[in-house]
Amino acid sequence: MAPSAEKKIVVLGTGGTIAGTAASAGDNIGYTAAQVGVAQLLDAIPALPTVLAGHALLTEQVAQIDSKDMSVAVWQQLAGRVAHWLTQPGVQGIIVTHGTDTLEETAYFLQALLDPPKPVVLTCAMRPATAVAPDGPQNLLDAIAVARCPGARGVVAVCAGTLHGALEVQKVHPYQVNAFSSGDAGPIGYVEEGRLRLLRDWPKAPTGQIPIAIETVVNATHWPRVEIVMNYAGASGAVVQALVAQGVQGLVVAATGNGTLHHDLQDALLAAQRAGVRVVRASRCPNGRVLAQPGDPIADSQGLSAVKARVALMLALMQPP
Ligand code: SIN
């Protein structure tokens, strides 16, 4: 079917293992991420025209990085391009190719900032493009199926046939192809032979979040400094005290269990809070959330993991007074 000028899917490349190459096809770990351009990745997929079902495909290389090196500058660039394409006539959905390592943070960032009325689908791979059996091509085809699905909205991640929401998605395995989980919320659905089987609703704006203008975030020359500390056996307040001395503006603590903290770490965090640092408590447990109690001295992360709570706190601190 000839591509229709009216219906478009935009694919923004940022790098990752999906664009990685290794010296030998049998090597799934000794590769270099972010080597192949996004247009070249798509050109190499034989089934592409069938899955596009008449949609035109536009590609843009926004960045070419290993996502462990994700930076504020790349997030600003990416958010600007996603926001641009969301407003263009005929664009049905946007796909972002991304490394798996920080995909969950980018997903949360884009959802919290843009709450897009169209699907913004992050996809990735655990095997490089040169692997004997790369997973990237199927993940891209599944992402296209989601991006052109009528009624789809919000930021989602597609990996290994599973559709996760931006608020819940978490990388849970360092090697297996099915590396992501939505914890006890469960996935939004599955992509099976190009069809979606939805289990629950599309992502919405995070609860309690005050919307922030995209220009404020994209044009900011400095983002607030927010760091993550962790509670563990034998934790102390030393790291918190050092960060406060350096002028940190926000701290997220990955607390044990239901938000519990070693008393030395808690004392240091409360002192930081009294000194004007915003402090938020997440649980380091991969499932569930901190169940807050009246009178808790430190705010909880509203179910967000520590890395996502950090993004939420940076955005909150960027709100104009
Ligand atoms: C990355 O996050 O860019 C490298 C690892 C991966 O994509 O699996």
Side-chain angles (χ1 to χ4, degrees), residues 15-18 31 33-34 65-68 98-103 124-127 171:
T17 295
I18 192 168
Y31 60 86
I65 61 165
D66 186 318
S67 82
K68 71 180 172 55
H98 199 291
T100 58
D101 284 348
T102 60
L103 180 147
C124 56
M126 291 296 286
R127 306 277 176 264
K171 185 172 178 180

